[in-house]
Amino acid sequence: MKKLDTYEEDILAASEKGELKSTSPSKENLAKFKAAASATFTKDKRINIRLSSPDLMDIQARALEEGIPYQTFIASVLHKYASGRLIEKPSSLTSRPKRRTG
């Protein structure tokens, strides 16, 4: 399990103290949530992409860190980038030397 950040620790502590109450979404909100989930998880297009072996190995290692299949990881990264929500965080893996260009 990943280490919790301060916000997550606060939520966990409040839950353990019984300070949180479960609520049900309204029918309207539930319909919106279902539509958003369907739009997010429906994969109706296929692409092919060529990557260098070292880049693919790095992607697979990052996916392993996250505990998800690498193709799911790639789709998630692309979705976050396209929706403007991609936040890069440093990997705990040892980085390989940068390639020379030119």
Side-chain angles (χ1 to χ4, degrees):
M1 187 172 159
K2 294 180 189 180
K3 184 178 178 183
L4 302 178
D5 63 23
T6 305
Y7 177 72
E8 293 166 329
E9 287 175 354
D10 290 345
I11 292 173
L12 180 60
S15 175
E16 289 173 345
K17 292 178 186 175
E19 296 173 352
L20 301 179
K21 294 181 183 177
S22 179
T23 60
S24 296
S26 66
K27 287 183 180 182
E28 180 182 300
N29 280 339
L30 188 59
K32 287 180 186 178
F33 298 150
K34 285 181 179 181
S38 292
T40 300
F41 295 112
T42 301
K43 310 257 188 306
D44 61 347
K45 297 291 181 187
R46 174 181 291 255
I47 66 167
N48 292 317
I49 186 170
R50 292 192 172 277
L51 299 171
S52 69
S53 292
D55 284 345
L56 180 57
M57 288 174 26
D58 287 349
I59 288 168
Q60 289 172 325
R62 284 279 190 121
L64 187 61
E65 271 188 318
E66 297 293 322
I68 59 175
Y70 76 93
Q71 291 175 325
T72 303
F73 177 76
I74 291 169
S76 174
V77 169
L78 291 174
H79 174 74
K80 288 176 184 175
Y81 179 80
S83 63
R85 295 183 300 119
L86 183 66
I87 299 171
E88 188 174 355
K89 61 182 181 181
S91 172
S92 62
L93 300 173
T94 305
S95 61
R96 59 187 163 90
K98 300 282 184 199
R99 287 183 245 139
R100 291 185 187 168
T101 57

